Structures are given as C-alpha cells and as structure tokens.
C-alpha cells in the first residue's frame, strides 16, 4: 500500500523533474531546440505583452495564457510518464525497455498527434521529435530505476518474505 501512496507518486515527481531539466538543458545546448525555444518565447512574450497592454482588463487573458502553457507542459512532461506508469503497474511490466521506450515514443508522438495533419515532416520537426523522445526516455529510465523494477508489487509466485520458501 505504501508503494501506491508514496513510492509511485514520488517516482513520477522525480521523473517529471528530470525530464523537465533534460528538456531545459537540451533547449540551451542544442542549436535547433535553442532556436525554436528562443524564437517561440520571444515572439510569444511580445505578443503577450502587446495583448496585455491593448485591453482594459488583462486578467482573463493572463489566466487563459497560464492555462495554455500549463496544458502544454502537462501534455509533454506529465502525461506520458503518468500513462506509462499506470499501464506498467496494471500489467506488471518490469522492463526498462517498456518504461523508457513507451515514454519516449509517447512523448515524441504528442506533437504529431496534436498537429493532426498528414504531411511529410521537415528535418527540424524530426529533430524536435527526437529531442522530445529522449526527454521521455529520461523520464522512463528515472521512473523505472525508482519504482518500475518492482511494478505491480509481488507476483503471486513470489515468496512472502525474500529468502524464505513459501509454506
């Protein structure tokens, strides 16, 4: 019971933090991600400032912007580890390949699913997907190291106490 109340939420929190840190570092170090992040933040910030100063009551617009940023962060950084962890616990997956691979594929696929159009990807889009996939893989590896190795608790065939034979 402690596993479900403390260990899994703590593992998810640490995995999300590690993937956030990885994405931040990738955005600073990688030239493609740096350009994308910098241009997006610069254009988004100035559009936001222009909109704030052009209306009488900017409160609803600020709230909507904060909600939209939170939704994107949730979809890219929280949702994949949460979904993969729940599925891994239900099916008792204990493989690092499951956690790192599933989180990598799911995180990399989210922009493609949200875009919704069928067209050939540009090299820049593929690069961003690869970085997002690595971000998901980092989250999966961290989650597996903390809680995934013992997914689903004890199997029915496991002895109740390690080192002793079942009666």
């Amino acid at each position: 019971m402690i596993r479900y109340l403390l260990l899994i939420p703590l593992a998810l929190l640490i995995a999300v933090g590690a993937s956030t840190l990885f994405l931040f570092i990738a955005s600073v170090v990688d030239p493609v991600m740096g350009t994308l992040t910098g241009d997006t933040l610069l254009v988004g910030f100035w559009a936001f400032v222009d909109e704030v100063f052009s209306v009488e009551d900017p409160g609803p617009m600020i709230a909507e912007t904060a909600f939209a940023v939170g939704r994107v962060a949730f979809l890219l950084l929280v949702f994949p580890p949460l979904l993969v962890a729940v599925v891994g616990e239900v099916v008792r997956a204990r493989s690092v390949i499951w956690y790192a691979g599933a989180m990598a594929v799911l995180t990399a696929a989210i922009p493609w699913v949200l875009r919704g159009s069928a067209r050939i990807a540009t090299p820049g889009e593929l690069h961003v997907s690869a970085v997002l996939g690595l971000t998901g893989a980092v989250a999966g590896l961290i989650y597996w190291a903390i809680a995934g190795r013992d997914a689903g608790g004890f199997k029915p065939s496991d002895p109740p106490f390690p080192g002793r034979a079942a009666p």
Side-chain angles (χ1 to χ4, degrees), residues 83-167:
L83 180 66
V84 171
V86 167
V87 171
E89 286 294 322
V90 169
V91 301
R92 295 182 177 188
R94 296 181 181 193
S95 171
V96 68
I97 295 170
W98 161 253
Y99 288 103
M103 285 188 203
V105 168
L106 188 57
T107 305
I110 285 176
W112 300 96
V113 171
L114 292 178
R115 184 176 69 184
S117 66
R119 64 175 175 80
I120 296 177
T122 65
E125 290 172 332
L126 293 174
H127 186 89
V128 169
S129 287
V131 171
L132 289 175
L134 288 173
T135 301
V138 166
L141 183 63
I142 298 295
Y143 178 81
W144 173 82
I146 296 171
R149 292 178 292 158
D150 301 321
F154 289 112
K155 290 193 262 184
S157 63
D158 289 343
F161 300 102
R164 290 191 200 170

Side-chain angles (χ1 to χ4, degrees), residues 8 19 28 35 46 52 59 69 85 89 103 118 133 161 164 166:
I8 292 173
S19 66
V28 170
T35 302
W46 288 115
V52 164
V69 168
E89 286 294 322
M103 285 188 203
F161 300 102
R164 290 191 200 170

Side-chain angles (χ1 to χ4, degrees), residues 10-20 77 81 103 138-140 142-143 146:
L10 179 66
L12 283 170
L13 188 64
I14 293 170
V16 168
S19 66
T20 303
L77 299 171
M103 285 188 203
V138 166
I142 298 295
Y143 178 81
I146 296 171

